[in-house]
Amino acid sequence: MNDFAIDIRGLTKKFGENIVVNNLSLQVERGSVFGFLGSNGSGKTTTIRMICGLLMPTSGTGRCLDLDIQNDSEEIRSRIGYMAQKFCLYEQLTVIENLRFIGEVYQLSDLDDRISEQLKYLRLENYKDRRARDLSGGWKQRLSLASCLLHSPEILFLDEPTAGVDPKARKEFWDYLHEIAIEKGTTILVTTHYMDEAEKCTNLAYINQGNLLYTGTTTGIIPFSKIISYVSDIQRQQQAWMTSEIGRRYPAVTTSFVNNQLRISSRDQEILNEILERYPDSQFTRVAPSFEEVFIGLIS
Ligand SMILES: Nc1ncnc2c1ncn2[C@@H]1O[C@H](COP(=O)(O)OP(=O)(O)OP(=O)(O)O)[C@@H](O)[C@H]1O
């Protein structure tokens, strides 16, 4: 058996003349929580749809659970769970009715036990008779996750599962993802625009306009990026003025306000040295780059 839950080689997707995914190769280890990152429109959903057998690639090959993504799409779909960006359940049905409906579609034999397990693990028991339309965003997202897990998928694809969800609910959701990856060996491929969530993944791929910029461990992306960062405690008025001046003079440098400090980052140490010399009163100190600086730096 292949060690990889997902193994794609040179996958390309064109819509007309528009190359949306370009010669993409990725391997996702079984049991990993794999973050699939990239700015809006960079081709993440398109790639996921090809891996799930929902969309034919223009060229390239791929295996998902050791099945061919072009020829075995039906079997792939029966063994994976896919939580799309949009809430896809029935708003007028209750939580339990939604789960029962999904279970019947999958023709699951021990449905009551499976529903009880999901209600318990996702702490949905108190909400089981509430209509989906009356749930808040965080609870809707748990219900979506429960419905994707009902048939015990071997891989779970989650497309921006926590967009608009509050930090506590997002944390609980992520704790649960790690729990199922560890306890059940489920492979999870998740897209997110939240940097704190990217840091929670075991492995990452980062794409831009359909091209792969990085794939590897989560900790490996910082040294790979070669981004260098400095921070200064200067006054707020000065920060605004310096940000616009640095932005104008040094387009290759990223500036940001974090924790009431001015941060500058770039891959070019010479340019950063020039800034340190130009603004000696700012007393910049070197710090580890943040994930945000790394991701922005890699595409600039
Ligand atoms: N069926 C289609 N026909 C034509 N163009 C499409 C189609 N589906 C997607 N695209 C285009 O492909 C590009 C990539 O879209 P995709 O949804 O894969 O990006 P994404 O990385 O998932 O974006 P986001 O983070 O905003 O969800 C976009 O420019 C989109 O408009």
Side-chain angles (χ1 to χ4, degrees):
M1 192 167 71
N2 191 325
D3 275 349
F4 299 119
I6 298 166
D7 187 353
I8 58 174
R9 309 270 167 171
L11 219 55
T12 294
K13 182 68 193 177
K14 282 189 189 176
F15 290 114
E17 287 306 301
N18 192 11
I19 302 173
V20 168
V21 176
N22 188 19
N23 196 22
L24 185 67
S25 296
L26 274 187
Q27 286 77 46
V28 177
E29 282 173 32
R30 288 175 193 266
S32 58
V33 178
F34 191 96
F36 193 29
L37 311 171
S39 41
N40 290 130
S42 55
K44 301 179 298 296
T45 305
T46 305
T47 304
I48 291 175
R49 297 188 70 219
M50 288 191 282
I51 298 170
C52 295
L54 295 167
L55 190 66
M56 280 300 241
T58 307
S59 60
T61 58
R63 298 193 75 75
C64 178
L65 296 169
D66 240 354
L67 297 161
D68 187 293
I69 60 169
Q70 297 188 49
N71 298 317
D72 306 321
S73 58
E74 208 169 309
E75 188 173 350
I76 290 174
R77 287 204 292 270
S78 71
R79 290 172 55 188
I80 61 154
Y82 179 25
M83 183 168 155
Q85 279 179 22
K86 209 167 151 264
F87 183 71
C88 297
L89 295 170
Y90 293 94
E91 299 268 0
Q92 74 281 13
L93 296 185
T94 64
V95 166
I96 203 154
E97 285 167 350
N98 265 297
L99 294 177
R100 189 166 295 286
F101 178 76
I102 301 283
E104 281 163 7
V105 170
Y106 277 101
Q107 300 180 320
L108 300 174
S109 52
D110 42 357
L111 188 53
D112 286 343
D113 291 346
R114 286 172 186 262
I115 290 176
S116 301
E117 187 192 9
Q118 291 310 321
L119 291 177
K120 182 166 164 252
Y121 273 108
L122 285 162
R123 299 193 190 88
L124 276 161
E125 282 153 320
N126 293 339
Y127 296 85
K128 69 180 183 347
D129 296 318
R130 196 175 286 190
R131 286 183 203 279
R133 68 171 178 228
D134 298 329
L135 296 172
S136 68
W139 289 102
K140 271 189 180 162
Q141 154 254 31
R142 281 185 194 220
L143 173 58
S144 299
L145 182 61
S147 73
C148 293
L149 289 169
L150 214 51
H151 63 297
S152 308
E154 291 159 73
I155 307 182
L156 193 54
F157 292 88
L158 305 169
D159 202 352
E160 291 183 44
T162 56
V165 173
D166 74 54
K168 182 168 175 282
R170 290 202 291 124
K171 184 201 173 300
E172 286 172 2
F173 186 88
W174 274 82
D175 289 346
Y176 186 66
L177 292 187
H178 280 286
E179 204 174 307
I180 53 179
I182 292 165
E183 286 184 8
K184 304 200 168 164
T186 312
T187 306
I188 294 168
L189 186 143
V190 55
T191 75
T192 178
H193 292 294
Y194 295 116
M195 293 299 106
D196 61 321
E197 294 190 344
E199 288 181 278
K200 290 177 197 260
C201 297
T202 57
N203 299 76
L204 294 177
Y206 185 40
I207 61 169
N208 186 42
Q209 296 180 344
N211 294 295
L212 183 68
L213 299 181
Y214 173 82
T215 186
T217 61
T218 304
T219 45
I221 196 167
I222 291 182
F224 170 86
S225 72
K226 298 193 168 58
I227 298 291
I228 306 154
S229 298
Y230 287 88
V231 68
S232 161
D233 279 319
I234 53 155
Q235 304 247 315
R236 186 144 166 68
Q237 279 79 0
Q238 257 180 301
Q239 283 183 15
W241 163 79
M242 271 179 69
T243 300
S244 76
E245 189 166 292
I246 291 171
R248 194 165 36 81
R249 279 182 199 272
Y250 309 101
V253 174
T254 304
T255 56
S256 56
F257 296 113
V258 181
N259 293 330
N260 279 322
Q261 293 178 309
L262 173 64
R263 293 181 68 102
I264 55 171
S265 63
S266 170
R267 250 180 293 207
D268 193 329
Q269 181 72 68
E270 273 182 35
I271 291 181
L272 291 169
N273 286 343
E274 220 179 295
I275 295 174
L276 303 193
E277 279 166 29
R278 184 179 287 270
Y279 307 101
D281 295 343
S282 308
Q283 297 184 328
F284 277 104
T285 328
R286 182 142 178 198
V287 287
S290 66
F291 258 51
E292 182 181 279
E293 287 165 336
V294 165
F295 285 110
I296 291 173
L298 279 172
I299 53 172
S300 56

